[in-house]
Amino acid sequence: MLWPSLAMLDQDGFLSDDLRVVSVAREAVAKTEFLGRVQGAIEKRINKDLEDGTLDRFLKRVSHVALDASDPEWGNKLKAELGDIDTLDIVYFLSVSPTLFKPICEHLETAGLSRAPNRVIIEKPLGRDLASSKVINDSVAHAFEETRTFRIDHYLGKETVQNLLALRFANTVFEPLWNAQSIDHVQVTVSETVGTGDRLGYYDDYGALRDMVQNHLLQLVCLLAMEPPSNFNSDALRDEKVKVLRSLKPITADVVKEVTARGQYGAGFAEGHQVAGYEAEKGSPSNTETYVAIKAEVANWRWSGTPFYLRTGKALPSRTTEIVIQFRAVPHSIFGAAAQPNRLVIRLQPDEDIKLTVMNKAPGLSADGMQLQPLDLSLSLTNAFDSNGDKPSRRRIAYERLILDALNGNNAAFVRRDEVEAAWTWIDGISAAWAEAYPKPQLYPAGSNGPISAHMLLERDKRVWND
């Protein structure tokens, strides 16, 4: 996503004329071959959106230098490549293994490349528990203070996720109802049709809980459950998100089987072909979960009594990321069972869309009274106008917004250290409870809707997943 995002920012005039993009990796490759790879990555993702001249202009910005992070002269060699660093404003994007964060940051600091205003973007995984996360954060913090550290979660750059803030805090229609008195429950779903593929080595050490819930799903919960910030600056927003994470009710061993579901895909039929199953792909037994569902509780005045059901998994029937806000039924229905509770569905993929379901009189005459039917009101961004008053012609890559924010020094859509650590504290509690009382995940066939325990999670509360 990185090369296409940068190319589109260039096409739309967001990159200054003197901005350079320097690739750093161990592999030594000829300039022509490297630029061909970059061009291929861009064309594969956004070829239909490219305008004449964009590729040529962008590729002139790009260079590549082969450096090995184990080389003690790494920083000085990069410094020589960059030129007069005193005149530069540099953003480093570390799309590398977390084991390299520390040595790279040390190289940058030693060579004088980490001084302000230079900043760093780091991608997950930011550890696999609280302790390892602190080690990573400490190593980065030695070279870059918190205000110049940008922990990226690409979900926070998605247009629909960004729109959550506008939906809640710019409309009197929703915010007065955004509480336990009006909302019955919330569902957050991230489902994938693919298995682990070439990520199996990494995934077997992390599992769905650490890989997806700790970051993506909990970030969505924060935006859904947070209190209105005092203003729109980065610290005000992130302060409220941290409060949500610290309000999550701990999940202990005595309740973990009632409020969570662990699954692992077995042999089945997914994406039109036979799937061998996770253990068969790995070639050995494994207790790693490829599916997790959780009944989470935000223990504060606003949300007491309204559960947040979270689920994510691999080798499922559809690729979907969505949020369902299920409102409570009217206190007394004069229309009988025909009146269904309102529902707000916020979909992030495969299409970004927001739909509100309200009850509406069905057209026509009826001898047995008024007949109702659900009416979907689409708040889709497809028909929205951009900030210039022009209708957007494409759906932007989430990284475009986040890279642009980092270039401009705006860290509101990035994750602060105390957010990461508060999330890991809650996740570590679940991991410990699983180790004690729920060590083995339940098998589910690839291509199915997940383990039976996930459906029972809602059935116990007389609710169902939005499938």
Side-chain angles (χ1 to χ4, degrees):
M1 297 292 183
L2 302 184
W3 292 115
S5 296
L6 286 164
M8 293 312 297
L9 288 175
D10 192 2
Q11 177 171 288
D12 293 341
F14 288 111
L15 303 186
S16 61
D17 292 340
D18 59 349
L19 184 138
R20 297 164 55 200
V21 183
V22 181
S23 165
V24 182
R26 286 180 298 180
E27 183 184 11
V29 57
K31 181 177 181 179
T32 302
E33 181 184 348
F34 179 76
L35 293 180
R37 293 183 189 179
V38 174
Q39 180 173 342
I42 293 171
E43 290 179 335
K44 181 179 179 180
R45 179 67 174 81
I46 55 169
N47 189 47
K48 63 182 179 62
D49 296 314
L50 288 172
E51 298 174 358
D52 291 343
T54 293
L55 265 177
D56 290 341
R57 183 176 63 251
F58 177 70
L59 292 177
K60 288 177 182 177
R61 300 179 182 272
V62 177
S63 62
H64 174 72
V65 55
L67 296 175
D68 190 325
S70 64
D71 182 354
E73 289 300 308
W74 189 97
N76 290 327
K77 290 178 180 178
L78 177 60
K79 190 177 187 178
E81 175 72 18
L82 295 177
D84 185 2
I85 63 170
D86 293 333
T87 64
L88 298 178
D89 179 359
I90 309 171
V91 177
Y92 303 100
F93 196 122
L94 304 188
S95 184
V96 298
S97 165
T99 59
L100 295 177
F101 289 166
K102 186 175 190 292
I104 288 176
C105 286
E106 287 175 346
H107 291 318
L108 293 173
E109 186 176 21
T110 300
L113 291 169
S114 65
R115 60 191 176 190
N118 299 347
R119 44 211 177 275
V120 64
I121 303 173
I122 55 178
E123 288 210 80
K124 74 164 192 172
L126 299 177
R128 70 181 304 278
D129 53 24
L130 179 60
S132 57
S133 174
K134 286 183 175 181
V135 170
I136 290 172
N137 280 319
D138 286 344
S139 68
V140 175
H142 199 272
F144 297 90
E145 61 262 28
E146 183 63 34
T147 56
R148 296 190 291 122
T149 301
F150 293 69
R151 298 172 190 83
I152 199 166
D153 184 330
H154 73 273
Y155 271 47
L156 297 181
K158 289 181 176 290
E159 201 69 56
T160 311
V161 173
Q162 293 273 322
N163 203 31
L164 265 176
L165 296 175
L167 192 73
R168 285 194 57 190
F169 303 130
N171 296 286
T172 56
V173 174
F174 293 111
E175 183 56 25
L177 304 177
W178 214 263
N179 52 54
Q181 286 69 47
S182 299
I183 294 176
D184 178 78
H185 70 276
V186 178
Q187 297 180 23
V188 181
T189 297
V190 180
S191 67
E192 301 177 86
T193 56
V194 297
T196 56
D198 57 7
R199 297 178 72 235
L200 195 149
Y202 155 81
Y203 198 89
D204 198 58
D205 191 41
Y206 281 77
L209 181 69
R210 295 183 176 96
D211 182 52
M212 294 295 292
V213 180
Q214 184 273 333
N215 42 76
H216 299 327
L217 273 75
L218 285 187
Q219 282 296 315
L220 295 178
V221 170
C222 286
L223 295 177
L224 289 164
M226 64 188 279
E227 294 295 323
S230 58
N231 55 57
F232 199 58
N233 72 40
S234 59
D235 279 335
L237 285 168
R238 297 190 293 182
D239 285 347
E240 298 303 332
K241 288 165 65 183
V242 171
K243 290 178 186 177
V244 173
L245 293 169
R246 291 175 177 166
S247 297
L248 288 171
K249 184 177 178 180
I251 294 175
T252 55
D254 57 330
V255 298
V256 71
K257 281 196 170 183
E258 297 175 13
V259 298
T260 73
R262 290 188 81 195
Q264 183 186 97
Y265 67 84
F269 199 77
E271 287 202 305
H273 62 271
Q274 190 72 28
V275 174
Y278 183 81
E279 288 190 340
E281 291 172 345
K282 182 174 183 280
S284 61
S286 173
N287 286 338
T288 298
E289 77 284 350
T290 61
Y291 182 104
V292 59
I294 301 172
K295 177 184 178 180
E297 297 182 49
V298 181
N300 61 23
W301 277 28
R302 180 184 286 262
W303 293 112
S304 180
T306 294
F308 285 69
Y309 297 104
L310 317 178
R311 62 173 172 170
T312 184
K314 291 188 174 293
L316 298 173
S318 63
R319 177 178 174 267
T320 303
T321 301
E322 70 175 16
I323 299 161
V324 177
I325 311 295
Q326 181 62 64
F327 290 92
R328 297 189 184 278
V330 294
H332 172 69
S333 175
I334 62 174
F335 305 106
Q340 302 171 24
N342 302 129
R343 173 176 287 193
L344 181 66
V345 178
I346 303 165
R347 176 159 290 190
L348 282 66
Q349 63 182 24
D351 301 309
E352 293 190 80
D353 193 16
I354 301 175
K355 285 187 177 180
L356 175 64
T357 301
V358 299
M359 295 310 297
N360 177 58
K361 179 189 176 300
L365 303 175
S366 174
D368 51 355
M370 186 181 294
Q371 298 297 304
L372 301 182
Q373 66 180 12
L375 175 65
D376 286 336
L377 303 178
S378 177
L379 308 177
S380 172
L381 298 173
T382 303
N383 299 316
F385 289 86
D386 65 15
S387 56
N388 297 319
D390 301 319
K391 192 174 290 187
S393 59
R394 66 182 180 89
R395 192 172 79 181
R396 288 195 178 275
I397 303 169
Y399 277 99
E400 291 180 53
R401 171 181 294 278
L402 297 174
I403 291 172
L404 184 61
D405 280 351
L407 290 173
N408 292 329
N410 177 13
N411 51 19
F414 293 82
V415 184
R416 206 167 60 188
R417 175 171 181 163
D418 53 352
E419 284 184 69
V420 175
E421 295 182 356
W424 273 124
T425 299
W426 191 68
I427 292 295
D428 282 356
I430 298 174
S431 296
W434 278 354
E436 181 178 342
Y438 201 169
K440 184 72 177 175
Q442 181 182 20
L443 282 179
Y444 63 95
S448 70
N449 280 317
I452 297 297
S453 54
H455 302 279
M456 292 177 63
L457 187 68
L458 270 71
E459 283 183 10
R460 281 192 288 268
D461 295 339
K462 296 181 171 55
R463 299 181 176 111
V464 294
W465 291 109
N466 184 49
D467 290 326

